[in-house]
Amino acid sequence: MRLYLASTSPARLQTLRAAGIEPIAAPPGVDEEAVVAAREAESGPLAAREMVQLLAQAKAEALVGAEPGGEPIDGLILGGDSAFLTGGSIHGKPHLPEVAKQRWLAQNGGHGELWSGHWLIDHRGGRVNGAVGRADVATVRFAALDETEIDAYVASGEPLLVAGAFTIDSLGGPFIRRVEGDPSTVVGLSLSTLRDLVRELGVAWPSLWNRRPSAE
């Protein structure tokens, strides 16, 4: 059984690989701001749970009919999205150093919720047979950093392209005191949730294993 990942996120790819799955990854090419703006024009502001689920679905559906690697998709298509909720505001990727620093000064020594949306399409046989999805949340509690540490972290460039301006699996790991919930949710993909969704579609989780565990 092949898993197609509608994402170019290195963290999601590495998480799947560590779990024994080598997906076929492809960029979904979704204009996230446009998708959110269109939905909010219809129904008003979205909660974090609703936003990540909307975008996860949009990304997965963008691969329907695509041919990554030059072949029609025959397997499961996974879309995912993440957002960080703190202080009553939803934060995606900061992109700019000054924005990343501002967010760290605000969340320093505090906590927030990392929401990850998942949408899984059954595309076995080259056609859509069904789809399931769910959003998951993990509470992240931060250490108290001094401003020198914050400046160095922002200067590394790592926090600019991740929701909430932090990672758990790289340079940002030592700045996180505790995670309440599935730790893999914080990297944008809850493995326990994905397993549940795979099983809902009638697929055995071990059938996705196509990669040997690393000896490191």
Side-chain angles (χ1 to χ4, degrees), residues 12-107:
R12 290 192 183 100
L13 182 59
Q14 183 55 39
T15 298
L16 288 169
R17 285 174 170 170
I21 301 171
E22 183 67 51
I24 297 175
V30 171
D31 186 335
E32 299 182 23
E33 292 185 1
V35 171
V36 172
R39 177 60 61 86
E40 290 187 334
E42 295 176 356
S43 56
L46 297 174
R49 174 196 291 269
E50 297 168 326
M51 187 183 75
V52 297
Q53 210 37 29
L54 170 68
L55 291 174
Q57 181 175 349
K59 292 175 184 179
E61 291 177 347
L63 286 197
V64 172
E67 296 186 359
E71 297 182 356
I73 291 177
D74 185 1
L76 306 180
I77 304 173
L78 174 63
D81 190 73
S82 298
F84 191 59
L85 179 65
T86 183
S89 298
I90 300 173
H91 297 299
K93 302 170 184 176
H95 295 293
L96 300 174
E98 55 269 28
V99 176
K101 180 173 181 177
Q102 181 183 32
R103 291 186 186 174
W104 261 101
L105 290 172
Q107 67 198 28

Side-chain angles (χ1 to χ4, degrees), residues 10-204:
R12 290 192 183 100
L13 182 59
Q14 183 55 39
T15 298
L16 288 169
R17 285 174 170 170
I21 301 171
E22 183 67 51
I24 297 175
V30 171
D31 186 335
E32 299 182 23
E33 292 185 1
V35 171
V36 172
R39 177 60 61 86
E40 290 187 334
E42 295 176 356
S43 56
L46 297 174
R49 174 196 291 269
E50 297 168 326
M51 187 183 75
V52 297
Q53 210 37 29
L54 170 68
L55 291 174
Q57 181 175 349
K59 292 175 184 179
E61 291 177 347
L63 286 197
V64 172
E67 296 186 359
E71 297 182 356
I73 291 177
D74 185 1
L76 306 180
I77 304 173
L78 174 63
D81 190 73
S82 298
F84 191 59
L85 179 65
T86 183
S89 298
I90 300 173
H91 297 299
K93 302 170 184 176
H95 295 293
L96 300 174
E98 55 269 28
V99 176
K101 180 173 181 177
Q102 181 183 32
R103 291 186 186 174
W104 261 101
L105 290 172
Q107 67 198 28
N108 193 23
H111 69 280
E113 295 179 341
L114 197 296
W115 284 92
S116 285
H118 311 76
W119 193 259
L120 191 65
I121 298 175
D122 180 349
H123 205 275
R124 286 175 287 180
R127 63 183 183 276
V128 176
N129 304 295
V132 290
R134 196 171 88 198
D136 241 332
V137 63
T139 298
V140 181
R141 299 190 181 278
F142 298 103
L145 281 61
D146 59 45
E147 195 162 351
T148 300
E149 289 177 307
I150 292 175
D151 287 340
Y153 187 42
V154 171
S156 75
E158 180 179 276
L160 304 187
L161 298 177
V162 287
F166 69 92
T167 66
I168 190 176
D169 56 344
S170 189
L171 297 180
F175 304 144
I176 296 174
R177 286 291 187 194
R178 187 165 71 252
V179 173
E180 298 162 8
D182 183 345
S184 61
T185 301
V186 183
V187 299
L189 171 60
S190 167
L191 289 172
S192 60
T193 295
L194 177 58
R195 174 181 172 272
D196 289 344
L197 298 178
V198 166
R199 288 163 59 86
E200 282 184 41
L201 292 177
V203 176

